[in-house]
Amino acid sequence: MSAARQDVHRAYCAACGSMVSRRFRPGPDGRLEATCPRCGSLERHRFLSLLLGALAPDLLDLDTVVEIAPSPQSTPLLDRLHPRQRISLDLGHDKRAVDALASLTALPLRDASVDLLVCYHVLEHVPDDCSAMREISRVLSPRGIALIEVPIKGGVLTDEDPSATPDERARRFGQSDHVRWYGDDFDDRLLAAGLSSARVTPPTLVGDAAVEWFRLMAHEVVWVARHGTAAATPAVPGGSGLSAAFDAVLADLARTQDRLVRARERADRLAAQRDALRTQPAVPQVRPRADVLTRLRRVVHL
């Protein structure tokens, strides 16, 4: 049996809700198994879909949802929440389609008007990120949630320099349009802006086994921020309860796939035996003895 035939339902894309048997394509930076071949989603989009599902009880009857720097893969995920109003904003440097051009440091939104705000990989571009965080806090409603993602390094403090040259930024911060690389003090920055946050990673949300199944990055971190002054926590305590369920489902799926592989191997062996029999030369049939005797009787009679 061919390898391609054995590799059935290799992964599940939570962004488009599809079983994917083809290999995932590399990401923009060459990361292996990063891009869904069906919808083009990356790891962060698939993790966002799962995170929105885990937060579903807090995301009912949403009034206003705001997405900063939207993408074709993330916008449909927010549309599934059926908010009364969804607004996309961006500064306009890359000419992406948005509802309004605006800076994250001066959001054109009323105080306490946003129930969900998604801000992925934006703050590292903003020179005055503290003002941007205060704006996020200002526009969040009392029940509001902000989902924030930034590049971060553990064990160090934030390294930033808005005045650095593009070449220096690329060397220090990974991209020429980044002005910092966040460190362990990112949670404190959010807290200073009035946002209490919890770090969520794919393993804490869905478990280690499901990280591979959903094609996620184990080290990815999303901050779930709300109004508050409580100290940040390293992760959502106990995850969302999904981890054990996913482990059980994936274990059962692995057993089912193993049975399927064995059944197909047996089917292939039988098919090979059938084909081998079909290629054997035909053996002349020997007439039964009774027929020979009948012909002899006719000859004697003549």
Side-chain angles (χ1 to χ4, degrees):
M1 181 169 57
S2 67
R5 188 171 178 183
Q6 290 186 30
D7 205 3
V8 178
H9 290 173
R10 298 183 63 254
Y12 180 82
C13 176
C16 61
S18 301
M19 290 285 193
V20 182
S21 58
R22 290 176 287 165
R23 291 187 66 86
F24 277 48
R25 299 193 300 270
D29 59 354
R31 293 190 313 279
L32 298 179
E33 299 280 330
T35 306
C36 173
R38 290 180 177 269
C39 68
S41 67
L42 298 174
E43 300 96 336
R44 62 176 176 268
H45 304 125
R46 297 189 287 275
F47 187 37
L48 173 61
S49 177
L50 294 169
L51 185 54
L52 292 173
L55 293 171
D58 295 321
L59 301 177
L60 300 174
D61 193 29
L62 296 177
D63 186 18
T64 300
V65 171
V66 172
E67 185 177 15
I68 309 297
S71 73
Q73 291 77 31
S74 59
T75 298
L77 302 179
L78 300 180
D79 286 339
R80 294 177 193 170
L81 301 175
H82 304 293
R84 296 182 183 87
Q85 179 177 224
R86 185 182 59 76
I87 302 171
S88 59
L89 303 171
D90 191 57
L91 197 56
H93 290 314
D94 56 7
K95 298 181 180 179
R96 71 182 70 198
V98 293
D99 296 316
L101 298 178
S103 170
L104 189 54
T105 60
L107 293 173
L109 301 166
R110 301 190 314 275
D111 293 356
S113 62
V114 177
D115 292 329
L116 175 65
L117 184 144
V118 177
C119 180
Y120 274 28
H121 292 281
V122 177
L123 287 171
E124 65 270 20
H125 298 266
V126 181
D128 187 3
D129 66 327
C130 293
S131 292
M133 294 177 195
R134 287 193 295 269
E135 275 292 274
I136 292 174
S137 179
R138 178 184 68 81
V139 302
L140 280 185
S141 69
R143 62 170 290 199
I145 297 174
L147 302 180
I148 302 170
E149 185 169 280
V150 296
I152 189 169
K153 290 182 179 179
V156 298
L157 296 178
T158 296
D159 179 22
E160 61 183 334
D161 186 359
S163 64
T165 65
D167 289 342
E168 178 72 4
R169 292 178 181 180
R171 183 184 68 81
R172 289 173 59 186
F173 313 133
Q175 288 185 202
S176 61
D177 56 349
H178 287 188
V179 298
R180 68 180 57 81
W181 205 314
Y182 286 102
D184 292 339
D185 56 338
F186 180 65
D187 307 87
D188 296 331
R189 291 181 177 229
L190 291 173
L191 196 59
L195 295 169
S196 178
S197 61
R199 296 188 182 195
V200 185
T201 65
T204 61
L205 185 70
V206 298
D208 292 324
V211 168
E212 174 65 19
W213 175 248
F214 291 115
R215 291 298 186 270
L216 306 175
M217 288 191 295
H219 61 274
E220 182 178 0
V221 182
V222 173
W223 282 260
V224 180
R226 309 171 190 258
H227 283 297
T229 57
T233 55
V236 175
S240 64
L242 295 176
S243 179
F246 277 129
D247 286 346
V249 170
L250 291 176
D252 184 67
L253 178 63
R255 291 190 292 269
T256 301
Q257 286 184 317
D258 184 60
R259 290 195 296 269
L260 177 62
V261 168
R262 291 199 302 269
R264 285 185 166 174
E265 287 175 345
R266 182 172 181 274
D268 283 349
R269 287 196 301 269
L270 293 174
Q273 294 174 6
R274 177 201 62 198
D275 294 341
L277 291 174
R278 286 177 175 176
T279 59
Q280 291 180 359
V283 178
Q285 293 185 354
V286 178
R287 292 179 178 275
R289 184 174 178 180
D291 185 51
V292 174
L293 291 175
T294 300
R295 293 178 61 189
L296 288 173
R297 290 191 187 100
R298 289 176 180 173
V299 171
V300 171
H301 181 73
L302 292 174

